[in-house]
Amino acid sequence: MCGIVGYVGGASSSLDAKDVVVEGLARLEYRGYDSAGLALVLEGSGDGPGLHVDKKAGKLANLRAILDEAPPPTTRTGIGHTRWATHGAPTDANAHPHLGAHGRLALVHNGIIENYAVLREALEAEGHEMASETDTEIAAHLLERRLDAGDDLTTAMQQVCSQLEGAFTLVAVDSQDPDRVVAARRNSPLVVGLGEGENFLGSDVAAFIEHTREALELAQDQVVTLHPDRVEVTGFDGSPAEGTRYHVDWDLSAAQKDGYDWFMRKEIFEQPRALADSLLGRRGLDGKLQLDEMRLTDGELREIDRIVIIGCGTANYAGLVAKYAIEHWTRIPCEVELAHEFRYRDPILTRNTLVVAISQSGETADTLMAIRHAHLQRAKVLAICNTNGSTIPRESDAVIYTHAGPEIGVASTKGFLTQLMACYVLGLYLAQVRGTKFGDEIADVMAELEQMPRHVQTMLDKAEDVYKLAHAHEDSSTVLFLGRHAGFPVALEGALKLKELAYLHAEGFAAGELKHGPIALIDDGLPVFCVMPPRGRDQLHDKMLSAVQEIRARGARTLVLVEDGDEGVARYADEVVYLPKVPTLLQPLVAVVPLQLFACELATVLGHDVDQPRNLAKSVTVE
Ligand code: F6R
């Protein structure tokens, strides 16, 4: 939530800070789009030393319009922010950057300063006047007060951060020190981009990927100072520290739409490649599964007697699918829980509990807090994550990276499919280590998994048919989704996609639950997506077919996802979408694709912004 950019260039740099900041914000806008702003450090010529600050409520386009109308002078140093409002409505005044009392310092912030009320009261008692309702502004005043007392910005940041509670990434500039940008992080994301004669900051690497692929990961409670020619890291207490340097393995093209109308649509179509990448290198020369990032020993994994999978939203649904596969293959009891509910119910965890935290971004605050709680209870934590160097994998005992490439559309698509893939691989790996499946059985499932990119491509080839279905439902105000077994989380995910993108009333149900209440919702012409399990599980298949018949008899319009060759179902369906024949446990990988396409297209037809749905932001970094 909230996107942050920082830049400092040297005499040799040909870049204008405004361009770096605005382009960076454009790539981070998916993190929040309530308002946007920037501060540039002016250097003596023209307007004289000082800050040039522009900020505006609404999307980045509004800020761009101001900058086009009255272009600021070229500068070498700047910071910028795109906001997802927490304290204070999305107005011009509450937009970042915020300034110190005399306008010497500008600050942008992601997160929540929890003790801001006390600090604000104390500042106001000293005569400080606040221009906004934000928690951020108090930090700007505190920092500037220290600058006025003679500290440099780095020292001021160290001192002020020690006073703050909560989660924050702060990035500040001092108009009297143009060669320095200073940032700090606690429980909120921040990455440094290392250039030559210039350096960058971003909430994630997308902010600067067009300028450098060399990055520096920061740990918690660190302050980083950027000069054009060097980067210095310290703790909040001023002690010297080091970041971890890494090379970003994707480039600018991954952060561009490539001719698609939406990032989401592009990412849906990237799924075959993403799935293939998520499987790369998982098998050794002996055919056995190997997980490079698995830092738990075989001995530790053999002792696991319970698995708890945690995540939020789509990641939670990936966990629900995983439960079916992991329990079946390993016979380890497996629970799935929403990360934000987990720690508040005081869960019973032991050193033999494996907590699997699923998070595309690796920064979701609810999931992060849950894994910290799990660690306190001595449980082992394994992260399934898409973002290298993010906080959740860094704080976990082991990690499986999903290798999907950057996911920019706010609604998760390739993130979900690759999370499923990672869960399957984890289940098979545990089965291998614990001997609950024979080697050839594991190899058979792996061979099936290796076919999934092809099967998903088959579904994408049917996109036009699904789009027609979406157009036909342009006037629907409610859509229901039914599934059983591993198809139940698919129904939930299909409904979530529609809610968040098309703003429709959409609900997913376990088909068996229908008669216990939800069937009362069925009305003439109500569209209901039904995910039919493959015929291999006859009982499951037949029970689901009964549910389809029952709702059709009551007037529902049935949109049935069914495997190729299952012709018997067609006569109970108003519309059929055929799925490739795959094992029941793996069917979610193909069944969810038409539901993603449906939601994306319907939202497009309805005129919504698919990549930036209202009220949402990618990467929910506040609890
Ligand atoms: C829905 C969606 C969200 C995320 C959830 C968790 O399309 O994207 O429900 O899945 O906010 O995010 P991560 O996986 O980054 O922890």
Side-chain angles (χ1 to χ4, degrees):
M1 271 168 178
C2 300
I4 284 185
V5 182
Y7 173 72
V8 58
S12 62
S13 168
S14 57
L15 297 173
D16 180 357
K18 177 202 71 174
D19 296 337
V20 178
V21 170
V22 172
E23 288 314 312
L25 291 180
R27 299 202 198 296
L28 295 185
E29 205 184 4
Y30 67 92
R31 302 179 69 93
Y33 29 87
D34 291 340
S35 54
L38 55 61
L40 306 167
V41 183
L42 305 167
E43 278 181 78
S45 63
D47 295 358
L51 294 173
H52 177 100
V53 178
D54 279 318
K55 52 187 194 169
K56 194 75 193 150
K59 294 201 171 176
L60 181 61
N62 297 355
L63 175 67
R64 281 194 202 262
I66 298 181
L67 293 168
D68 288 348
E69 213 175 285
T74 303
T75 59
R76 296 186 294 117
T77 308
I79 58 176
H81 187 266
T82 173
R83 179 170 188 242
W84 188 87
T86 56
H87 289 68
T91 59
D92 291 355
N94 288 333
H96 298 214
H98 291 283
L99 305 182
H102 318 298
R104 169 177 173 181
L105 166 133
L107 174 73
V108 294
H109 165 218
N110 172 19
I112 294 179
I113 298 169
E114 284 168 1
N115 57 337
Y116 98 104
V118 184
L119 295 169
R120 182 173 177 133
E121 224 169 89
L123 282 167
E124 283 174 343
E126 284 176 36
H128 286 250
E129 281 178 25
M130 301 291 159
S132 78
E133 302 155 89
T134 64
D135 50 345
T136 310
E137 197 181 358
I138 59 110
H141 280 238
L142 291 171
L143 281 167
E144 194 180 270
R145 194 170 59 176
R146 297 211 71 98
L147 294 180
D148 289 344
D151 281 348
D152 65 25
L153 186 53
T154 305
T155 314
M157 187 67 90
Q158 290 159 351
Q159 301 284 335
V160 169
C161 284
S162 311
Q163 282 177 268
L164 304 180
E165 289 167 15
F168 47 85
T169 299
L170 300 171
V171 182
V173 285
D174 173 2
S175 56
Q176 296 181 18
D177 191 357
D179 278 342
R180 184 192 300 252
V181 175
V182 178
R185 78 168 287 238
R186 168 181 285 169
N187 292 335
S188 203
L190 183 68
V191 201
V192 180
L194 301 166
E196 285 185 13
E198 57 189 356
N199 289 301
F200 307 81
L201 282 164
S203 299
D204 66 49
V205 292
F208 49 74
I209 194 71
E210 79 185 277
H211 304 295
T212 177
R213 289 167 69 182
E214 297 307 310
L216 194 72
E217 179 186 317
L218 299 171
Q220 292 298 353
D221 289 7
Q222 289 191 332
V223 169
V224 62
T225 304
L226 266 60
H227 298 283
D229 57 346
R230 64 189 194 284
V231 169
E232 288 151 5
V233 183
T234 69
F236 284 179
D237 59 0
S239 57
E242 275 183 24
T244 314
R245 199 179 166 130
Y246 65 100
H247 180 75
V248 183
D249 58 9
W250 48 272
D251 61 15
L252 180 61
S253 65
Q256 288 174 327
K257 285 194 213 155
D258 263 357
Y260 284 91
D261 52 349
W262 305 114
F263 277 109
M264 181 192 181
R265 207 185 302 272
K266 175 187 176 222
E267 287 158 8
I268 293 174
F269 279 86
E270 277 173 357
Q271 291 182 122
R273 188 208 43 77
L275 285 176
D277 287 355
S278 72
L279 278 175
L280 279 180
R282 301 295 191 203
R283 285 215 259 185
L285 288 175
D286 56 1
K288 282 194 160 184
L289 279 176
Q290 57 181 27
L291 295 179
D292 289 348
E293 311 105 339
M294 172 61 72
R295 299 185 290 255
L296 295 169
T297 64
D298 286 2
E300 284 172 316
L301 292 177
R302 280 192 205 102
E303 291 192 348
I304 298 298
D305 57 15
R306 192 162 137 253
I307 296 177
V308 184
I309 306 181
I310 54 171
C312 302
T314 292
N316 171 248
Y317 300 152
L320 290 175
V321 174
K323 173 183 164 72
Y324 291 96
I326 294 178
E327 283 193 340
H328 183 68
W329 292 332
T330 68
R331 311 311 296 157
I332 308 172
C334 184
E335 295 159 37
V336 187
E337 183 144 3
L338 289 163
H340 37 88
E341 288 294 317
F342 176 74
R343 72 175 166 139
Y344 296 105
R345 71 173 174 87
D346 195 10
I348 301 163
L349 304 170
T350 71
R351 60 175 74 247
N352 292 335
T353 309
L354 178 66
V355 171
V356 177
I358 306 181
S359 175
Q360 188 283 131
S361 61
E363 298 292 350
T364 298
D366 294 312
T367 312
L368 178 61
M369 295 307 158
I371 68 168
R372 287 188 182 157
H373 183 80
H375 267 145
L376 283 177
Q377 309 289 312
R378 297 176 306 162
K380 300 188 173 58
V381 176
L382 179 145
I384 290 182
C385 183
N386 191 37
T387 313
N388 242 304
S390 56
T391 311
I392 290 173
R394 239 198 359 253
E395 294 199 12
S396 297
D397 302 303
V399 54
I400 301 180
Y401 281 111
T402 51
H403 301 296
E407 190 177 66
I408 293 171
V410 164
S412 188
T413 53
K414 63 177 180 173
F416 179 62
L417 255 64
T418 53
Q419 283 164 356
L420 290 180
M421 195 58 108
C423 288
Y424 292 132
V425 170
L426 172 64
L428 293 174
Y429 186 77
L430 289 171
Q432 173 180 289
V433 170
R434 298 162 68 98
T436 50
K437 284 266 167 223
F438 292 117
D440 57 338
E441 293 172 317
I442 294 172
D444 286 349
V445 185
M446 279 304 289
E448 296 278 6
L449 287 176
E450 281 157 6
Q451 292 304 314
M452 295 317 286
R454 186 169 62 80
H455 292 316
V456 168
Q457 186 57 52
T458 308
M459 295 315 300
L460 295 173
D461 295 342
K462 299 179 184 187
E464 287 304 325
D465 297 340
V466 179
Y467 294 160
K468 279 190 201 137
L469 208 57
H471 292 215
H473 289 85
E474 205 178 330
D475 297 326
S476 304
S477 54
T478 299
V479 182
L480 301 186
F481 295 75
L482 289 186
R484 275 194 95 103
H485 189 261
F488 170 41
V490 174
L492 295 172
E493 173 64 1
L496 178 60
K497 292 282 100 87
L498 211 52
K499 277 180 224 180
E500 65 182 327
L501 300 175
Y503 317 147
L504 291 186
H505 172 228
E507 297 280 348
F509 295 110
E513 193 64 9
L514 263 187
K515 294 199 266 300
H516 302 284
I519 199 162
L521 289 171
I522 305 294
D523 206 354
D524 249 3
L526 181 81
V528 184
F529 274 98
C530 306
V531 186
M532 285 296 298
R535 277 166 304 174
R537 301 281 178 90
D538 282 341
Q539 276 202 345
L540 207 57
H541 178 272
D542 294 351
K543 292 277 182 324
M544 184 68 201
L545 188 55
S546 306
V548 175
Q549 288 171 268
E550 285 159 12
I551 56 168
R552 194 139 187 268
R554 287 163 178 80
R557 186 174 152 67
T558 53
L559 318 171
V560 184
L561 310 184
V562 61
E563 75 174 354
D564 277 334
D566 191 353
E567 302 302 342
V569 175
R571 75 185 123 114
Y572 305 110
D574 292 289
E575 300 284 350
V576 184
V577 179
Y578 284 103
L579 308 174
K581 273 182 195 276
V582 297
T584 305
L585 285 170
L586 309 190
Q587 197 197 40
L589 285 171
V590 289
V592 80
V593 176
L595 304 184
Q596 298 169 336
L597 290 166
F598 183 84
C600 181
E601 186 64 9
L602 188 51
T604 308
V605 173
L606 294 174
H608 300 319
D609 186 332
V610 168
D611 285 334
Q612 296 176 356
R614 68 182 180 204
N615 305 336
L616 290 174
K618 191 99 183 149
S619 199
V620 184
T621 52
V622 293
E623 271 189 278

PDB file of all heavy atoms in Angstrom, residues 396-413:
ATOM      1  N   SER A 396      11.184 -16.106   7.276  1.00  0.00           N
ATOM      2  CA  SER A 396      10.726 -17.493   7.367  1.00  0.00           C
ATOM      3  C   SER A 396      11.918 -18.435   7.448  1.00  0.00           C
ATOM      4  O   SER A 396      13.037 -18.083   7.076  1.00  0.00           O
ATOM      5  CB  SER A 396       9.888 -17.835   6.137  1.00  0.00           C
ATOM      6  OG  SER A 396       8.743 -17.012   6.114  1.00  0.00           O
ATOM      7  N   ASP A 397      11.655 -19.668   7.896  1.00  0.00           N
ATOM      8  CA  ASP A 397      12.742 -20.647   8.009  1.00  0.00           C
ATOM      9  C   ASP A 397      13.068 -21.262   6.651  1.00  0.00           C
ATOM     10  O   ASP A 397      14.135 -21.816   6.451  1.00  0.00           O
ATOM     11  CB  ASP A 397      12.327 -21.765   8.973  1.00  0.00           C
ATOM     12  CG  ASP A 397      11.985 -21.208  10.341  1.00  0.00           C
ATOM     13  OD1 ASP A 397      12.870 -20.548  10.923  1.00  0.00           O
ATOM     14  OD2 ASP A 397      10.842 -21.393  10.801  1.00  0.00           O
ATOM     15  N   ALA A 398      12.120 -21.206   5.749  1.00  0.00           N
ATOM     16  CA  ALA A 398      12.329 -21.780   4.420  1.00  0.00           C
ATOM     17  C   ALA A 398      11.429 -21.033   3.459  1.00  0.00           C
ATOM     18  O   ALA A 398      10.476 -20.371   3.886  1.00  0.00           O
ATOM     19  CB  ALA A 398      11.956 -23.257   4.422  1.00  0.00           C
ATOM     20  N   VAL A 399      11.753 -21.120   2.188  1.00  0.00           N
ATOM     21  CA  VAL A 399      10.908 -20.409   1.208  1.00  0.00           C
ATOM     22  C   VAL A 399      10.839 -21.201  -0.092  1.00  0.00           C
ATOM     23  O   VAL A 399      11.799 -21.868  -0.474  1.00  0.00           O
ATOM     24  CB  VAL A 399      11.437 -18.967   0.986  1.00  0.00           C
ATOM     25  CG1 VAL A 399      12.882 -18.939   0.616  1.00  0.00           C
ATOM     26  CG2 VAL A 399      10.651 -18.239  -0.079  1.00  0.00           C
ATOM     27  N   ILE A 400       9.686 -21.175  -0.712  1.00  0.00           N
ATOM     28  CA  ILE A 400       9.580 -21.639  -2.093  1.00  0.00           C
ATOM     29  C   ILE A 400       9.157 -20.411  -2.892  1.00  0.00           C
ATOM     30  O   ILE A 400       8.055 -19.879  -2.689  1.00  0.00           O
ATOM     31  CB  ILE A 400       8.533 -22.764  -2.246  1.00  0.00           C
ATOM     32  CG1 ILE A 400       8.903 -23.950  -1.353  1.00  0.00           C
ATOM     33  CG2 ILE A 400       8.430 -23.196  -3.704  1.00  0.00           C
ATOM     34  CD1 ILE A 400       7.929 -25.121  -1.445  1.00  0.00           C
ATOM     35  N   TYR A 401      10.029 -19.929  -3.747  1.00  0.00           N
ATOM     36  CA  TYR A 401       9.663 -18.799  -4.602  1.00  0.00           C
ATOM     37  C   TYR A 401       8.836 -19.311  -5.776  1.00  0.00           C
ATOM     38  O   TYR A 401       9.107 -20.373  -6.323  1.00  0.00           O
ATOM     39  CB  TYR A 401      10.915 -18.066  -5.101  1.00  0.00           C
ATOM     40  CG  TYR A 401      11.496 -17.142  -4.054  1.00  0.00           C
ATOM     41  CD1 TYR A 401      12.706 -17.409  -3.445  1.00  0.00           C
ATOM     42  CD2 TYR A 401      10.800 -15.999  -3.666  1.00  0.00           C
ATOM     43  CE1 TYR A 401      13.231 -16.567  -2.471  1.00  0.00           C
ATOM     44  CE2 TYR A 401      11.311 -15.151  -2.692  1.00  0.00           C
ATOM     45  CZ  TYR A 401      12.526 -15.436  -2.098  1.00  0.00           C
ATOM     46  OH  TYR A 401      13.028 -14.598  -1.133  1.00  0.00           O
ATOM     47  N   THR A 402       7.846 -18.516  -6.166  1.00  0.00           N
ATOM     48  CA  THR A 402       6.933 -18.982  -7.210  1.00  0.00           C
ATOM     49  C   THR A 402       7.394 -18.597  -8.625  1.00  0.00           C
ATOM     50  O   THR A 402       6.878 -19.142  -9.596  1.00  0.00           O
ATOM     51  CB  THR A 402       5.508 -18.441  -6.965  1.00  0.00           C
ATOM     52  OG1 THR A 402       5.586 -17.036  -6.762  1.00  0.00           O
ATOM     53  CG2 THR A 402       4.895 -19.064  -5.741  1.00  0.00           C
ATOM     54  N   HIS A 403       8.329 -17.672  -8.734  1.00  0.00           N
ATOM     55  CA  HIS A 403       8.945 -17.314 -10.024  1.00  0.00           C
ATOM     56  C   HIS A 403       7.927 -16.920 -11.090  1.00  0.00           C
ATOM     57  O   HIS A 403       8.076 -17.280 -12.265  1.00  0.00           O
ATOM     58  CB  HIS A 403       9.800 -18.479 -10.536  1.00  0.00           C
ATOM     59  CG  HIS A 403      10.891 -18.866  -9.583  1.00  0.00           C
ATOM     60  ND1 HIS A 403      11.929 -18.019  -9.239  1.00  0.00           N
ATOM     61  CD2 HIS A 403      11.100 -20.005  -8.866  1.00  0.00           C
ATOM     62  CE1 HIS A 403      12.716 -18.612  -8.369  1.00  0.00           C
ATOM     63  NE2 HIS A 403      12.239 -19.825  -8.115  1.00  0.00           N
ATOM     64  N   ALA A 404       6.893 -16.193 -10.697  1.00  0.00           N
ATOM     65  CA  ALA A 404       5.868 -15.781 -11.665  1.00  0.00           C
ATOM     66  C   ALA A 404       6.266 -14.494 -12.393  1.00  0.00           C
ATOM     67  O   ALA A 404       5.630 -14.125 -13.368  1.00  0.00           O
ATOM     68  CB  ALA A 404       4.536 -15.562 -10.952  1.00  0.00           C
ATOM     69  N   GLY A 405       7.319 -13.806 -11.948  1.00  0.00           N
ATOM     70  CA  GLY A 405       7.611 -12.471 -12.493  1.00  0.00           C
ATOM     71  C   GLY A 405       6.685 -11.468 -11.832  1.00  0.00           C
ATOM     72  O   GLY A 405       5.739 -11.856 -11.133  1.00  0.00           O
ATOM     73  N   PRO A 406       6.914 -10.168 -12.061  1.00  0.00           N
ATOM     74  CA  PRO A 406       6.139  -9.173 -11.327  1.00  0.00           C
ATOM     75  C   PRO A 406       4.650  -9.252 -11.652  1.00  0.00           C
ATOM     76  O   PRO A 406       4.277  -9.376 -12.814  1.00  0.00           O
ATOM     77  CB  PRO A 406       6.716  -7.835 -11.811  1.00  0.00           C
ATOM     78  CG  PRO A 406       7.395  -8.141 -13.091  1.00  0.00           C
ATOM     79  CD  PRO A 406       7.846  -9.556 -13.019  1.00  0.00           C
ATOM     80  N   GLU A 407       3.832  -9.181 -10.623  1.00  0.00           N
ATOM     81  CA  GLU A 407       2.378  -9.150 -10.819  1.00  0.00           C
ATOM     82  C   GLU A 407       1.942  -7.727 -10.493  1.00  0.00           C
ATOM     83  O   GLU A 407       2.050  -7.285  -9.354  1.00  0.00           O
ATOM     84  CB  GLU A 407       1.686 -10.163  -9.911  1.00  0.00           C
ATOM     85  CG  GLU A 407       0.209 -10.308 -10.277  1.00  0.00           C
ATOM     86  CD  GLU A 407      -0.486 -11.368  -9.419  1.00  0.00           C
ATOM     87  OE1 GLU A 407      -0.598 -11.143  -8.189  1.00  0.00           O
ATOM     88  OE2 GLU A 407      -0.906 -12.396  -9.964  1.00  0.00           O
ATOM     89  N   ILE A 408       1.426  -7.040 -11.494  1.00  0.00           N
ATOM     90  CA  ILE A 408       1.128  -5.615 -11.339  1.00  0.00           C
ATOM     91  C   ILE A 408      -0.371  -5.363 -11.258  1.00  0.00           C
ATOM     92  O   ILE A 408      -0.819  -4.498 -10.512  1.00  0.00           O
ATOM     93  CB  ILE A 408       1.809  -4.823 -12.482  1.00  0.00           C
ATOM     94  CG1 ILE A 408       3.332  -4.924 -12.292  1.00  0.00           C
ATOM     95  CG2 ILE A 408       1.367  -3.365 -12.497  1.00  0.00           C
ATOM     96  CD1 ILE A 408       4.156  -4.390 -13.413  1.00  0.00           C
ATOM     97  N   GLY A 409      -1.170  -6.107 -12.013  1.00  0.00           N
ATOM     98  CA  GLY A 409      -2.626  -6.010 -11.876  1.00  0.00           C
ATOM     99  C   GLY A 409      -2.977  -6.246 -10.405  1.00  0.00           C
ATOM    100  O   GLY A 409      -2.411  -7.149  -9.775  1.00  0.00           O
ATOM    101  N   VAL A 410      -3.869  -5.436  -9.872  1.00  0.00           N
ATOM    102  CA  VAL A 410      -4.178  -5.571  -8.445  1.00  0.00           C
ATOM    103  C   VAL A 410      -4.785  -6.944  -8.142  1.00  0.00           C
ATOM    104  O   VAL A 410      -4.508  -7.547  -7.102  1.00  0.00           O
ATOM    105  CB  VAL A 410      -5.099  -4.413  -7.994  1.00  0.00           C
ATOM    106  CG1 VAL A 410      -5.764  -4.710  -6.664  1.00  0.00           C
ATOM    107  CG2 VAL A 410      -4.269  -3.142  -7.854  1.00  0.00           C
ATOM    108  N   ALA A 411      -5.596  -7.464  -9.061  1.00  0.00           N
ATOM    109  CA  ALA A 411      -6.188  -8.788  -8.830  1.00  0.00           C
ATOM    110  C   ALA A 411      -5.170  -9.871  -9.179  1.00  0.00           C
ATOM    111  O   ALA A 411      -4.599  -9.880 -10.268  1.00  0.00           O
ATOM    112  CB  ALA A 411      -7.428  -8.946  -9.692  1.00  0.00           C
ATOM    113  N   SER A 412      -4.972 -10.764  -8.252  1.00  0.00           N
ATOM    114  CA  SER A 412      -3.946 -11.798  -8.442  1.00  0.00           C
ATOM    115  C   SER A 412      -4.419 -12.855  -9.440  1.00  0.00           C
ATOM    116  O   SER A 412      -5.538 -13.354  -9.350  1.00  0.00           O
ATOM    117  CB  SER A 412      -3.652 -12.436  -7.093  1.00  0.00           C
ATOM    118  OG  SER A 412      -2.554 -13.293  -7.214  1.00  0.00           O
ATOM    119  N   THR A 413      -3.564 -13.197 -10.394  1.00  0.00           N
ATOM    120  CA  THR A 413      -3.905 -14.246 -11.383  1.00  0.00           C
ATOM    121  C   THR A 413      -2.761 -15.241 -11.490  1.00  0.00           C
ATOM    122  O   THR A 413      -2.827 -16.332 -10.936  1.00  0.00           O
ATOM    123  CB  THR A 413      -4.211 -13.615 -12.756  1.00  0.00           C
ATOM    124  OG1 THR A 413      -3.119 -12.764 -13.125  1.00  0.00           O
ATOM    125  CG2 THR A 413      -5.503 -12.827 -12.710  1.00  0.00           C
TER     126      THR A 413
END
